[in-house]
Amino acid sequence: MTTAERTPVLLDGVRTPFGKYLKGLSTLPSRELGAQALRALLERHEHLRRCDGVLLAQVLQGGQGQNPARQVAASAGVDPIVPALTLNNVCLGGMAAVADASRRVRLGEGTSYVVGGVDSMSRAPHVGYLRQGASMSGLNLIDSLSTDGLWCALVDESMGVLSERANAELDIDRHVQDDIALRSHERAAAARDAGRLAEEIVTVHVDGRTVEHDEGIRDTSRERLAALRPAFAEDGTITAGNSSQMTDGASIGAVTSAAAAERAGTRPLARIAGYAEVAGPDASLHLKPAVAVEQVLERAGVPLSAVALLEINEAFAGVVEASRRRLSVPLDIVNPNGGAIALGHPLGGTGFRLVLTLARELARRGERYGVASMCGGGGQGAAVLLENLN
């Protein structure tokens, strides 16, 4: 096989608008959110209906039926002979899909894969254990949104509490976090108004309405952010304003070989130049994106000084600040179009959104290298290195 046959590229990608928790997209199950995004992608690239595989992340899978990725593919019109795999390493799943597809291309197992992820946080079910019966006892239900999505199973506490402790240990104060939050909303609003977000968003149809824009972007101020109460500790620094929003949404794209992209007559968005996953030694989140960035750059032989743009998922503002400090990079190159504090964080739907947003911004600026990175529950992190081909 030629080098081009084993060189993975990001062919294209789209995402739904990200809807606020229990708001505009809340009546759509994850299957339909993912299917609407994938249908839009297939309209652009008909050949992907017969791709080599569909690799999609979903974190909140309880009660959703077998293999959600297969369900999304079937609903969107992918040929039923195409296999599908659902990934779940919590928030990292959308990036893991990109990595998995890239490895398959490099190994010559296939030449085109649908990748990405989806979650409806609004529709996460409450569940109960009834196998042994509930006779003579009350029935206590578990909120799967919390248990499966927002609660660290390793240390049995919320990721908010974990992150409050990390903020204190790393001396990241409330003012810094609120400043990052304000910057996120301002940058996201500017990107929306300039049409940059529209380049990656496809219209979603729900209950006879159309939704075209993200719902979480706020017109806020330092004063409004400063007035919010701490969310996880009485004297804490994390609030609803400086952490990611609970969200419904999907982001889906395609990883192919460079040769397959050429045969399809499509100029890819970027070359996938590397991927790294990291974990531990503890369950904290704050430094995991930075460690993953360091690892992927070392493997690729690319110096940090060559990286023009960074996407660091805004799970909490403190994560962005901690990783930025470790890497010694300015906020100017981080999340130039806003992040999850403004746009929202639909768990499995975020990882590919970061990669897609980065690829498009690299192309707009004509810069060569960028890295998308994020933390994940259980003390893990991931990063994807992209090289602009335009």
Side-chain angles (χ1 to χ4, degrees):
M1 297 178 72
T2 66
T3 300
E5 290 286 4
R6 292 180 181 262
T7 299
V9 297
L10 178 62
L11 184 76
D12 198 0
V14 300
R15 69 174 177 91
T16 67
F18 284 179
K20 295 179 70 172
Y21 178 63
L22 299 178
K23 298 296 183 181
L25 301 182
S26 63
T27 60
L28 292 180
S30 294
R31 175 176 181 160
E32 182 57 23
L33 279 169
Q36 290 205 31
L38 182 49
R39 286 186 202 116
L41 184 72
L42 295 176
E43 288 176 5
R44 297 184 188 179
H45 307 281
E46 184 71 23
H47 63 95
L48 292 175
R49 295 184 189 275
R50 295 289 296 268
C51 63
D52 294 300
V54 174
L55 312 171
L56 298 179
Q58 187 172 328
V59 177
L60 305 171
Q61 296 181 38
Q64 305 295 304
Q66 293 181 338
N67 195 357
R70 177 73 166 161
Q71 297 178 44
V72 170
S75 295
V78 173
D79 194 303
I81 70 168
V82 176
L85 172 66
T86 303
L87 299 94
N88 182 3
N89 50 349
V90 202
C91 305
L92 310 181
M95 282 192 180
V98 173
D100 192 340
S102 299
R103 293 188 194 105
R104 295 180 188 214
V105 169
R106 288 194 177 98
L107 291 170
E109 297 178 4
T111 62
S112 61
Y113 296 89
V114 168
V115 300
V118 58
D119 262 306
S120 171
M121 299 181 81
S122 295
R123 295 180 68 85
H126 288 78
V127 298
Y129 179 63
L130 300 174
R131 290 280 178 215
Q132 313 244 343
S135 177
M136 303 295 290
S137 65
L139 180 61
N140 295 317
L141 295 178
I142 296 169
D143 182 357
S144 67
L145 172 57
S146 175
T147 302
D148 295 350
L150 306 175
W151 194 269
C152 181
L154 297 186
V155 295
D156 194 26
E157 60 185 356
S158 82
M159 288 188 284
V161 171
L162 268 173
S163 297
E164 276 287 13
R165 193 156 57 245
N167 282 339
E169 292 169 354
L170 296 169
D171 194 26
I172 298 173
D173 63 27
R174 170 75 177 267
H175 177 78
V176 168
Q177 294 172 69
D178 285 352
D179 186 59
I180 289 172
L182 180 61
R183 185 183 296 241
S184 182
H185 284 287
E186 290 177 342
R187 287 181 167 186
R192 176 199 59 202
D193 295 345
R196 295 193 297 274
L197 295 183
E199 293 178 15
E200 61 191 44
I201 293 175
V202 294
T203 299
V204 166
H205 301 275
V206 51
D207 300 332
R209 299 177 291 109
T210 58
V211 181
E212 300 178 344
H213 300 290
D214 299 310
E215 294 183 336
I217 303 172
R218 302 189 191 105
D219 179 13
T220 189
S221 66
R222 283 182 177 82
E223 292 73 23
R224 290 175 188 168
L225 289 168
L228 295 173
R229 292 183 177 182
F232 301 103
E234 188 173 340
D235 59 347
T237 61
I238 297 176
T239 71
N242 59 34
S243 52
S244 58
Q245 299 183 45
M246 295 195 296
T247 312
D248 309 324
S251 59
I252 294 180
V255 170
T256 73
S257 69
E262 184 175 359
R263 287 192 294 271
T266 302
R267 186 170 183 81
L269 295 177
R271 180 175 75 90
I272 300 167
Y275 178 78
E277 289 177 307
V278 301
D282 56 31
S284 67
L285 307 176
H286 277 49
L287 294 173
K288 301 308 188 294
V291 175
V293 170
E294 292 168 345
Q295 189 174 112
V296 75
L297 292 177
E298 181 180 3
R299 288 177 180 174
V302 174
L304 181 60
S305 60
V307 174
L309 294 171
L310 281 168
E311 288 286 332
I312 302 175
N313 188 42
E314 295 172 353
F316 299 96
V319 172
V320 176
E321 178 63 11
S323 289
R324 181 200 70 78
R325 287 182 186 178
R326 173 162 176 147
L327 295 170
S328 297
V329 296
L331 275 174
D332 290 346
I333 72 166
V334 178
N335 302 344
N337 294 305
I341 289 173
L343 302 176
H345 178 22
L347 301 183
T350 293
F352 184 75
R353 197 279 299 171
L354 294 165
V355 175
L356 176 62
T357 298
L358 175 65
R360 291 195 176 280
E361 190 62 25
L362 283 173
R364 274 189 289 268
R365 299 187 181 205
E367 299 286 0
R368 184 176 182 184
Y369 288 115
V371 184
S373 61
M374 63 192 311
C375 60
Q380 300 197 126
V384 173
L385 173 63
L386 296 183
E387 181 181 15
N388 178 25
L389 299 175
N390 296 292

